[in-house]
Amino acid sequence: MAKSAGAFRTISEASEEVGAPQHVLRFWETKFDFVTPVKRAGGRRFYRPQDVLVLKAVKRLLHDDGLTIRGVQRLHREQGLKKLVGAEAAALIEDAALDSSPPVDDGALETSALQRLLHDLEQAKARLDAVLSP
């Protein structure tokens, strides 16, 4: 049974979709701060559809366009994510971020900021758990 387009992918599913081995995806995560899958307890990675788009763009830049890791880092730093993934894919990523936001109301900005903070804290906790677990 196929997953829906908006479903999270495991690292093996993302690896297959991107066309790069799992260890390469984990390596890119250490080199590119914009590659940030969701991590759950035990360090399991789950890739959102927008994460897979970013990974495909990184693979294209490294393998097809011949950029180095530093070249991709510089491109991201100087021109942003839109330059990496292309305007069309960047629009999809922005739409996905908007879809996951609560509807705008009086407290929506505060709620959205709190949700982002909670997400960041959960990722930090998962990273700490992974480092501290025996």
Side-chain angles (χ1 to χ4, degrees), residues 23-84:
H23 69 275
V24 171
L25 300 186
R26 289 189 292 270
F27 174 73
W28 287 348
E29 191 179 324
T30 66
K31 295 298 179 184
F32 305 115
D33 60 355
F34 52 88
V35 176
T36 55
V38 176
K39 288 188 182 176
R40 296 292 180 211
R44 280 187 53 112
R45 292 165 171 80
F46 291 96
Y47 294 85
R48 298 167 293 231
Q50 57 265 37
D51 295 327
V52 174
L53 287 174
V54 170
L55 290 168
K56 285 180 178 180
V58 167
K59 181 178 185 247
R60 178 183 46 80
L61 290 168
L62 292 172
H63 294 264
D64 298 339
D65 297 350
L67 268 66
T68 62
I69 289 174
R70 284 192 180 180
V72 175
Q73 290 168 337
R74 184 178 307 120
L75 186 66
H76 177 259
R77 184 175 57 248
E78 292 174 358
Q79 299 184 21
L81 195 59
K82 282 187 182 182
K83 184 64 178 176
L84 290 179

